[in-house]
Amino acid sequence: MQPLISLCLLTLSIFSLPTSKANESSELPIELHLMHRVVHPNLPTTPWSDLGTIILPPFATIQPTGSHASLSLEDSLQEDLAAFAEVVNPNMQGAMYHVAIEHPFSQGVSWAVSSMKACLLPSSTSANVVIHFSAKGEPFAIDYAVSPVPQDGKCPEMSTGNYPAHNATVVLKSPRMPPLPELHVPPPLTPEGEPITPVPEKSFVQKYWIYMVVVLGALLISGPADEPASGDKGGK
């Protein structure tokens, strides 16, 4: 009997070990690496360079409206931006700036890329990064934007040929469940398929006219109340 109990306990511990490890790993912070580059359709493709690292909190703490996180920029960022300017001048028509994240949960290499006009970077003073998560807690999309930006979205006329480094604001967003549809009961139909017109509600007189007739008839039958005879006055 004792060996059988030990065998059962050992089996339970083996099956429960992967689950506990999975739950523990899902609560651990994960590093999300951001990459960037500048490209032009008429020039050779620029290789990706490291932009920075974001420490992701547990997925359960991320709000649908957005939770803030910090971005640690790479020490070589200034050198990379200077190299970008030598290869692709931001004032060139068609130059684009790419920021990407590599999916840490996917098999193989998978990227989510945000693209914007390179000419908008030199005059900008700040950046905003929004990372979207799936229902499983996996980052699947990124939005990168700088400010200020002209209202018409066109490239500024006067712009330097440099790419500035910004301390970007990072926002993490989890999926938001859409509201459930309101289901209404379909109206009843006639055998011909036409909607049945509802019967209008009766008025107060239509509902209780019979009772009014009975009360009125009783009053007419009873007649007026009998008046006391004149001789009865002061008869005492």
Side-chain angles (χ1 to χ4, degrees), residues 41-74:
N42 298 331
L43 296 176
T45 303
T46 307
W48 291 98
S49 299
D50 293 328
L51 175 60
T53 303
I54 300 174
I55 303 298
L56 299 180
F59 177 68
T61 63
I62 300 177
Q63 302 296 326
T65 55
S67 301
H68 290 276
S70 59
L71 171 63
S72 300
L73 299 176
E74 294 292 332

Side-chain angles (χ1 to χ4, degrees), residues 203-235:
S203 63
F204 180 82
V205 177
Q206 291 175 332
K207 290 182 180 179
Y208 303 104
W209 68 270
I210 186 65
Y211 302 102
M212 295 179 183
V213 172
V214 171
V215 173
L216 182 59
L219 293 176
L220 293 176
I221 294 174
S222 63
D226 297 334
E227 296 181 359
S230 58
D232 294 341
K233 294 182 180 180

Side-chain angles (χ1 to χ4, degrees), residues 137-188:
E138 302 177 1
F140 71 93
I142 179 174
D143 296 328
Y144 185 89
V146 296
S147 60
V149 172
Q151 294 183 355
D152 55 7
K154 295 182 179 179
C155 297
E157 296 180 0
M158 299 298 296
S159 176
T160 63
N162 299 323
Y163 294 98
H166 300 309
N167 291 323
T169 301
V170 180
V171 178
L172 312 176
K173 288 189 176 183
S174 62
R176 178 180 297 179
M177 296 299 295
L180 297 177
E182 296 182 2
L183 302 179
H184 299 279
V185 179

Side-chain angles (χ1 to χ4, degrees), residues 13 52 56 75 83 109 127 131 145 161 176 182 202 217:
S13 63
L56 299 180
D75 297 335
V109 179
I131 299 176
R176 178 180 297 179
E182 296 182 2
K202 295 181 179 180

Side-chain angles (χ1 to χ4, degrees), residues 93-169:
Q93 185 69 24
M96 303 296 293
Y97 179 67
H98 292 172
V99 177
I101 55 175
E102 182 179 2
H103 295 306
F105 304 98
S106 62
Q107 299 293 333
V109 179
S110 180
W111 297 84
V113 182
S114 178
S115 180
M116 62 172 296
K117 295 180 180 179
C119 61
L120 299 177
L121 269 74
S123 59
S124 61
T125 57
S126 62
N128 184 52
V129 181
V130 180
I131 299 176
H132 303 271
F133 290 80
S134 66
K136 297 181 180 180
E138 302 177 1
F140 71 93
I142 179 174
D143 296 328
Y144 185 89
V146 296
S147 60
V149 172
Q151 294 183 355
D152 55 7
K154 295 182 179 179
C155 297
E157 296 180 0
M158 299 298 296
S159 176
T160 63
N162 299 323
Y163 294 98
H166 300 309
N167 291 323
T169 301

Side-chain angles (χ1 to χ4, degrees), residues 30-41:
I30 299 176
E31 291 187 356
L32 188 65
H33 298 283
L34 268 64
M35 315 291 290
H36 67 150
R37 67 178 181 180
V38 180
V39 297
H40 192 276

